Amino acid sequence: MNPRLSAATAAGASSDVAVEWDRGNDQWWDWYMSLADGPAPDGPLTDPAPHDPGPLPGDDALAAELAQPYPLTADQVAAYRAESFVKLPGVLSPGGLERLRIRLRAMLDAAVDPSVGFQSLEMMWLEDPLLRAAVLSPRIGGIAAGLLGVDGVRLYHDNALSKEPGAGRTPWHFDAHHFPLASADVLTAWIPLQPTPREMGPLAFARGADTWRLVADVEFDKHGTTYDRGVSEVFRARAVDVEDGPFAAGEMSFHSAHCFHTAGANRTTVPRMVLATTYFADGVRIVDAPTMVSGDWRKFVPGATPGAVVASPCNPLL
Ligand SMILES: O=C(O)CCC(=O)C(=O)O
């Protein structure tokens, strides 16, 4: 029995997720991270290489940077389609990312219990102009639309994800299991706010648009770590290629909702801070029966009901 679940969500078989989540999204992350397999790593934390982001842009300069289209190449689009993710260099300047990092840190520190190892906050764009400029930016939204091959995308949600020094692995999962969106045209931009070496826990991706099918029969386990372990075992047995390299300053990834991904522990002395933003093609509907794995999804699509097209004021069209 997982102590992070309520009586209602803990009930039934370990694979039974039919009931909706009844706590906050921060508590959802705390539960989800507890499903990661493997011993808690120990040993000393290391200092990452020093990083100088250079001069920080003012609001106008950052807005101008975020308004510039990114020159996505045909090869990058093809790689996204074939592999289910793509890592793109130089999307934002190190100084722009540092400004976002400082703002997210302040917002997390004001809202989150500092003892939590995986700190999260969402829907920041509703409150903060700098976050709004980034989350709704033509640059990032344009990449999302280009990769999905659509004219416009809508926002599902933004997320601040800070994996604190010493916090453990993120379990293997794919987001189509999480998002209550009835479409494959959904992707997430994972935007590291500092250079992210392997020992800080960068997002890692199982290559292949159809790789998720290899683990479709692994039974989910809401109480423990058998799902994460089962997925790892299948990927190892099937020699699935995993991209788990570092992210340079300014590099970010876009992964489809069918891309299996994980992340290592943060074994450095610096929080691994990320802005993650999820977009979907216009016209997508809510699934008929969202589950507890969707967390408090109603916060992201206020007023939407199962089966309805998602177009609330919280899901602007970019
Ligand atoms: O940042 C992490 O460790 C996990 C993030 C993730 O799974 C996602 O953004 O889809």
Side-chain angles (χ1 to χ4, degrees):
M1 162 93 179
N2 191 305
R4 293 168 177 82
L5 296 177
S6 67
T9 51
S14 279
S15 58
D16 182 356
V17 292
V19 66
E20 284 199 30
W21 187 248
D22 53 7
R23 294 181 168 169
N25 285 311
D26 51 342
Q27 290 161 306
W28 182 91
W29 272 111
D30 200 33
W31 162 64
Y32 204 75
M33 295 296 288
S34 77
L35 307 183
D37 189 38
D42 56 9
L45 302 175
T46 57
D47 292 329
H51 167 59
D52 176 5
L56 304 193
D59 287 348
D60 289 349
L62 187 52
E65 180 178 330
L66 289 163
Q68 276 291 321
Y70 182 84
L72 203 53
T73 67
D75 283 353
Q76 289 165 335
V77 176
Y80 171 80
R81 303 236 167 111
E83 301 195 323
S84 74
F85 73 95
V86 65
K87 289 171 77 166
L88 302 177
V91 182
L92 292 180
S93 66
L97 290 164
E98 180 65 14
R99 281 213 56 201
L100 290 168
R101 189 173 207 274
I102 293 167
R103 186 65 56 88
L104 278 195
R105 190 71 259 164
M107 294 180 90
L108 279 168
D109 288 348
V112 173
D113 172 353
S115 69
V116 172
F118 192 83
Q119 302 186 358
S120 67
L121 196 63
E122 68 287 318
M123 304 303 269
M124 298 156 299
W125 71 276
L126 290 172
E127 284 171 40
D128 186 85
L130 186 64
L131 266 295
R132 182 156 50 248
V135 170
L136 306 185
S137 72
R139 190 159 179 89
I140 297 170
I143 296 172
L147 293 174
L148 291 178
V150 298
D151 288 337
V153 289
R154 286 186 185 271
L155 176 71
Y156 178 55
H157 64 28
D158 62 9
N159 258 313
L161 302 173
S162 183
K163 191 175 273 197
E164 297 294 302
R169 286 184 53 241
T170 304
W172 277 111
H173 64 282
F174 72 139
D175 298 336
H177 191 214
H178 295 181
F179 303 144
L181 300 172
S183 172
D185 288 336
V186 181
L187 57 64
T188 296
W190 196 81
I191 308 168
L193 303 180
Q194 67 289 303
T196 306
R198 274 208 170 86
E199 52 280 13
M200 200 183 269
L203 208 61
F205 311 89
R207 287 189 195 279
D210 288 321
T211 299
W212 63 276
R213 294 184 196 279
L214 299 177
V215 287
D217 292 336
V218 179
E219 196 164 83
F220 189 66
D221 173 11
K222 66 184 177 184
H223 290 304
T225 59
T226 63
Y227 179 72
D228 183 36
R229 185 155 63 247
V231 170
S232 295
E233 282 169 3
V234 172
F235 285 170
R236 219 173 6 254
R238 302 294 295 267
V240 168
D241 190 20
V242 175
E243 155 56 48
D244 63 355
F247 283 67
E251 187 174 24
M252 65 183 71
S253 60
F254 289 77
H255 62 268
S256 98
H258 282 85
C259 175
F260 261 81
H261 51 284
T262 180
N266 182 0
R267 299 304 301 161
T268 76
T269 53
V270 170
R272 188 221 64 182
M273 290 191 55
V274 170
L275 171 65
T277 53
T278 296
Y279 307 96
F280 58 91
D282 192 24
V284 165
R285 292 176 188 275
I286 299 286
V287 297
D288 291 336
T291 72
M292 63 187 270
V293 191
S294 293
D296 182 13
W297 61 274
R298 288 171 207 275
K299 183 171 178 187
F300 310 135
V301 284
T305 48
V309 169
V310 185
S312 87
C314 288
N315 314 110
L317 185 61
L318 311 189

